Amino acid sequence: MTNNLRIVIIGLGTQGIKRKASLGKLCSGTVDPISNTAEYRKIEDVPLENYDAAFVCTPDTYKLSIIEYLISHGKHVLCEKPLSFSAIETYRDWE
């Protein structure tokens, strides 16, 4: 039996493509509203039982709502680039 996480990549720009290549078989799916190579257009389309964690490789505008969705469903999250909030209350909501 293996203990490998099943990871979905959200965003297939430069970083998402690099992450997908490095994950190999651990990548259980890709999400991107524009890319023709993505299996899904939005994270809500991916069945929750198909993955344990997500790499969020999206523009800053979309990160917060994606991360909140993932956390609310008990998923592990790795977020590319620094994550900044417009208000400290956003962070406090996650404590």
Side-chain angles (χ1 to χ4, degrees), residues 43-55:
I43 187 60
E44 295 85 357
D45 295 337
V46 183
L48 292 169
E49 64 273 7
N50 286 11
Y51 66 103
D52 307 300
F55 286 6

Side-chain angles (χ1 to χ4, degrees), residues 32-77:
D32 192 294
I34 299 169
S35 174
N36 292 333
T37 62
E39 289 97 356
Y40 301 96
R41 295 288 162 230
K42 55 186 181 175
I43 187 60
E44 295 85 357
D45 295 337
V46 183
L48 292 169
E49 64 273 7
N50 286 11
Y51 66 103
D52 307 300
F55 286 6
V56 182
C57 308
T58 65
D60 292 340
T61 306
Y62 308 106
K63 285 179 183 168
L64 183 58
S65 62
I66 292 169
I67 292 168
E68 288 176 334
Y69 174 82
L70 294 165
I71 290 173
S72 73
H73 289 89
K75 303 300 181 180
H76 302 281
V77 179

Side-chain angles (χ1 to χ4, degrees), residues 7-12 16-17 19-20 23 27 29-31 54-55 57:
I7 302 169
V8 67
I9 304 292
I10 306 169
L12 286 178
I17 291 169
R19 299 293 172 249
K20 183 180 180 203
L23 285 174
C27 182
T30 56
V31 178
F55 286 6
C57 308

